[in-house]
Amino acid sequence: MAAAAVTGQRPETAAAEEASRPQWAPPDHCQAQAAAGLGDGEDAPVRPLCKPRGICSRAYFLVLMVFVHLYLGNVLALLLFVHYSNGDESSDPGPQHRAQGPGPEPTLGPLTRLEGIKVGHERKVQLVTDRDHFIRTLSLKPLLFEIPGFLTDEECRLIIHLAQMKGLQRSQILPTEEYEEAMSTMQVSQLDLFRLLDQNRDGHLQLREVLAQTRLGNGWWMTPESIQEMYAAIKADPDGDGELTPLHSPIPVSLLPTPRVLRLTRLSPEIVELSEPLQVVRYGEGGHYHAHVDSGPVYPETICSHTKLVANESVPFETSCRYMTVLFYLNNVTGGGETVFPVADNRTYDEMSLIQDDVDLRDTRRHCDKGNLRVKPQQGTAVFWYNYLPDGQGWVGDVDDYSLHGGCLVTRGTKWIANNWINVDPSRARQALFQQEMARLAREGGTDSQPEWALDRAYRDARVEL
């Protein structure tokens, strides 16, 4: 009985002891209880499993849940911010977006530009099916190339003959040196100038049309009196009515071996075919052309001549934007007549260094021999160069000052050349709009609706005996 009484009291004592201990016992305490043991027939108290302190504690669980909620809350807030920001932009584009119009602006792909590699480098190209041509690098600054035999002798004679048929316009001899210097700064042909001034397209120039654009290069200005003096000096207005009428136009671009030029320049047909027409020039003995650049820089106050009509922009001045110059020698010159590049491949370009010790490198009449590079005229040879530097994004950048060039004095015989300028607007968007508008005109009216500078069919049926 006594033993039974003692035995009967053990569960109560164990329960009291258990209640005084924490719910989770340390491992050493668990091991002590296991060592003490219970009888086989005894009921052991129900206890939770023993676990390391702190891993599954309530405080740890609460901290973890707070961290998860904060993280999810930040992610949701960020997603909502992005969603509503995009929604506001799409629903209200703002003044800048509304000003762009209903559709995206047309864009053009990058312009192709040949690599010079090094001076003297030659590569073989096939510009026509029956023979190979070789392109030789003449300089890297500017990027200048030479292609012997680009035109055949027969093609050269044909171009000269057609130029004579159409009529050559003599260089205008102006009454003063100031006028001569002012006119020499204008990088356009005389016919281009006529078309530029003939705003009403009636085939005549009225005095008011000339005065509408009286600024010449480098700040020169014309007045009504100076214009009348110029007319009188060149005997261009014999009846004194103040109107001029052109006598001829340049060789049409359709006469140029266009497929050959396309393969040479690797430019799109739209750019090449919508550029200026071929200009043929004849120099007699004593003829020369002082050093100049073929293109002008485009500033906010200027615009390219060829894209002005479609740009719908009001700017005070315009300039010729000639991405490339392709020059053809149409005959062999007996004496002189080289094309000089005074500063080709100079280490640096300094405009002030062009004049040193009373020697002006731009003066091709007296100092042509002092230029860095001179190209001798050879019948059928073509030279071409880039007038602009690349902008790093596949388009037109700044004018390349190293493209300064001129025609040396012809000391004996006659010199015939032809210029083919490839026009590209440094504004990619304006060039795209120009090509888009020309394509629209062609679709609406057929090939006969092409602008006069793009297609001239005057001699499409001409047959010339050479």
Side-chain angles (χ1 to χ4, degrees), residues 21-167:
R21 295 192 186 97
Q23 185 177 3
W24 296 98
D28 56 350
H29 177 74
C30 294
Q31 294 173 0
Q33 276 192 333
L38 295 174
D40 293 339
E42 296 174 337
D43 296 328
V46 179
R47 298 174 184 171
L49 296 175
C50 298
K51 295 183 180 180
R53 180 181 297 275
I55 298 300
C56 295
S57 66
R58 183 175 182 181
Y60 177 84
F61 177 76
L62 290 176
V63 170
L64 179 64
M65 293 305 296
V66 169
F67 174 78
V68 170
H69 280 80
L70 288 176
Y71 175 78
L72 293 177
N74 288 333
V75 172
L76 290 174
L78 179 61
L79 293 175
L80 289 173
F81 173 77
V82 172
H83 171 74
Y84 284 109
S85 297
N86 292 337
D88 293 340
E89 183 177 356
S90 60
S91 61
D92 183 15
Q96 182 177 0
H97 290 79
R98 286 194 296 266
Q100 293 179 354
E105 293 183 353
T107 58
L108 297 177
L111 294 172
T112 304
R113 189 179 181 94
L114 273 66
E115 294 185 6
I117 310 298
K118 64 178 181 179
V119 175
H121 175 77
E122 287 190 357
R123 73 195 78 184
K124 183 171 69 174
V125 294
Q126 192 171 32
L127 303 177
V128 294
T129 56
D130 57 343
R131 68 180 186 274
D132 293 329
H133 289 85
F134 290 87
I135 301 178
R136 182 184 304 117
T137 302
L138 296 184
S139 78
L140 300 178
K141 297 188 302 184
L143 197 52
L144 170 67
F145 303 91
E146 179 184 51
I147 311 97
F150 184 88
L151 298 175
T152 64
D153 293 348
E154 291 76 13
E155 288 171 333
C156 292
R157 290 197 296 268
L158 174 61
I159 294 176
I160 292 175
H161 190 85
L162 291 175
Q164 291 172 328
M165 286 175 59
K166 269 204 151 184

Side-chain angles (χ1 to χ4, degrees), residues 345-389:
D345 282 329
N346 264 11
R347 293 184 61 184
T348 59
Y349 176 82
D350 183 7
E351 188 174 3
M352 300 302 297
S353 65
L354 292 173
I355 305 176
Q356 292 182 354
D357 300 327
D358 295 330
V359 174
D360 189 345
L361 294 178
R362 297 168 300 182
D363 187 348
T364 59
R365 182 178 180 85
R366 294 182 295 177
H367 305 300
C368 207
D369 59 327
K370 297 179 176 62
N372 287 357
L373 174 64
R374 294 187 302 279
V375 183
K376 182 177 178 58
Q378 295 289 338
Q379 186 177 33
T381 295
V383 292
F384 72 97
W385 62 90
Y386 296 89
N387 295 304
Y388 288 92
L389 298 169

